[in-house]
Amino acid sequence: MGATQQQVQDALSKVATPRGVSLSNAGVLSPITANDGKVFFSINVEATEARAWESVRAAAEAAVRAIPGVEVVMVALTAERKAGAAAAPPQPHRHGHGVQNVAAHRGPPGGASPMAKQAEIPGVAAVIAVASGKGGVGKSTTALNLALGLRDLGLRVGLLDADIYGPSVPRLTGLRGKPQLNDERKMIPLQRFGLSIMSIGFLVEEETAMIWRGPMVMSAVTQMLRDVAWGALDVLVVDMPPGTGDAQLTLAQNVPLKGAIIISTPQDLSLIDARRGLAMFTKVNVPVLGIIENMSYFQCPHCGTQSDIFGHGGARHEAERLGVPFLGEIPLHISIRTTSDSGTPVVESEPKGPYAAIYREIASKVRDQLKATHAAA
Ligand code: ADP
């Protein structure tokens, strides 16, 4: 028996807000979806208040998670620009969400290509990064399903989980255990679903990785790139640590990337972070192959009805505005979560289903973009 909307409302009435009233009385909540132990809703505030409300969002999520019977909680913080606010261009396709007008940063003129100074990885034709401006947007889930989509196109694919702060590939693939060493004392990647997989989670406890600082992150990732016997691969997908701080920038600079893919949800806060991600890659002259909108819309597992609870379409619009390819939309659906979290991602467990088809479609666009950027270079 899952939680009821009333129980959720009651829990939210105990969460304080900067407006001095409880969250349930602040007039900022979207309709609440409470189904079968899964609860989704959003908190809508003005863009200027958004940062101050992040702790309210976290408190709301914790309060709802504490209700007996609740298994999954998804609370989105969406920021709207006041009607008539300056500087925003006309946005005919947006769904009530404001956006800041930030031009894409194309990097310093004449800046050295990082690929020029990085040794390629022997046998690996292309290394691509899957990145996000912040955690929890489904970056790792997308990276793995995308890798499987590329595999379904007949490519030889590897996956490197470089998300040092929260390596999730062991959980998403069900893989455990330490990699063996070959005669050259290189680590042999683990094999699953036809992918060659390496994760920092195979080597150290998750808590150890969490406290690492930038230089340690870098040396761990370099080791996983260079000291692993990857063999012959068409594509190596790197699941990057979320965010756009120094550690990520150093990684983007030091990994011989052929391109980067940015995962965003449709919410404005996530889009602002995605834009930072784009600026980071362009700064180090790594071509952005495109943006993927994850949790694009909510698809009810019972009736299939689509609800745009997070304001679907924001990432497509953003990609158009910034002049980077839009690679596709992935719905928020319970089977994407359950299959990931049980170690058999949806492209593997439901290969004929609609979600596998979406990931394969995105994979073929990624392959085309890789070809196009290669040709341009
Ligand atoms: P990140 O790598 O960005 O931190 P994860 O890939 O670990 O995010 O995803 C966070 C949670 O969201 C996981 O429980 C995952 O199963 C779930 N998730 C990711 N994408 C979707 C989706 N499209 N639909 C439903 N759940 C999703």
Side-chain angles (χ1 to χ4, degrees), residues 11-318:
L12 298 181
S13 71
K14 299 189 184 85
V15 174
T17 70
R19 295 187 189 177
V21 292
S22 78
L23 182 54
S24 52
N25 286 327
V28 294
L29 291 176
S30 72
I32 294 167
T33 308
N35 249 334
D36 199 22
K38 284 101 199 161
V39 179
F40 304 105
F41 59 92
S42 66
I43 301 171
N44 310 296
V45 295
E46 280 171 25
T48 49
E49 301 175 289
R51 298 276 168 208
W53 281 72
E54 176 50 34
S55 60
V56 178
R57 192 205 63 77
E61 201 167 275
V64 176
R65 187 165 287 128
I67 302 172
V70 169
E71 291 164 22
V72 179
V73 189
M74 191 86 63
V75 184
L77 180 60
T78 63
E80 298 202 20
R81 184 182 283 273
K82 255 196 190 130
Q91 298 151 23
H93 303 301
R94 301 276 300 187
H95 300 264
H97 284 247
V99 71
Q100 287 179 1
N101 195 8
V102 179
H105 179 14
R106 293 280 162 217
S113 161
M115 267 136 70
K117 54 183 160 68
Q118 293 154 15
E120 308 254 332
I121 301 166
V124 178
V127 184
I128 59 173
V130 175
S132 65
K134 62 173 197 166
V137 301
K139 173 182 54 58
S140 300
T141 303
T142 311
L144 176 56
N145 281 298
L146 171 66
L148 292 168
L150 290 163
R151 173 206 65 180
D152 288 349
L153 297 175
L155 302 177
R156 294 163 300 177
V157 184
L159 177 66
L160 170 60
D161 176 11
D163 188 347
I164 297 292
Y165 304 115
S168 44
V169 166
R171 173 174 49 86
L172 298 179
T173 56
L175 275 175
R176 297 277 180 282
K178 298 235 182 299
Q180 306 289 313
L181 296 182
N182 70 8
D183 293 344
E184 295 166 352
R185 301 202 59 75
K186 288 199 164 196
M187 286 180 280
I188 304 169
L190 302 186
Q191 296 291 322
R192 182 71 125 217
F193 316 130
L195 305 177
S196 298
I197 302 177
M198 191 62 209
S199 169
I200 194 74
F202 300 151
L203 305 177
V204 295
E205 298 298 324
E206 203 166 309
E207 304 81 66
T208 316
M210 292 288 284
I211 54 168
W212 287 1
R213 303 236 165 252
M216 290 169 79
V217 172
M218 204 41 242
S219 69
V221 175
T222 311
Q223 197 182 353
M224 286 196 293
L225 271 175
R226 313 254 171 230
D227 296 352
V228 169
W230 287 108
L233 293 180
D234 297 305
V235 186
L236 176 59
V237 177
V238 180
D239 181 6
M240 296 273 288
T244 50
D246 287 347
Q248 289 81 356
L249 181 67
T250 316
L251 261 184
Q253 238 164 352
N254 286 282
V255 175
L257 294 172
K258 287 270 193 301
I261 296 163
I262 294 173
I263 315 294
S264 180
T265 69
Q267 307 154 44
D268 276 357
L269 276 186
S270 179
L271 285 169
I272 291 168
D273 290 321
R275 218 172 292 151
R276 288 204 191 105
L278 180 74
M280 177 178 84
F281 285 111
T282 48
K283 191 169 172 181
V284 294
N285 289 343
V286 172
V288 173
L289 303 174
I291 296 179
I292 297 174
E293 183 167 281
N294 189 38
M295 307 188 190
S296 185
Y297 48 90
F298 174 65
Q299 200 160 20
C300 173
H302 305 291
C303 60
T305 311
Q306 180 173 324
S307 338
D308 293 348
I309 53 174
F310 299 143
H312 160 219
R316 177 191 291 275
H317 182 80
E318 192 65 16

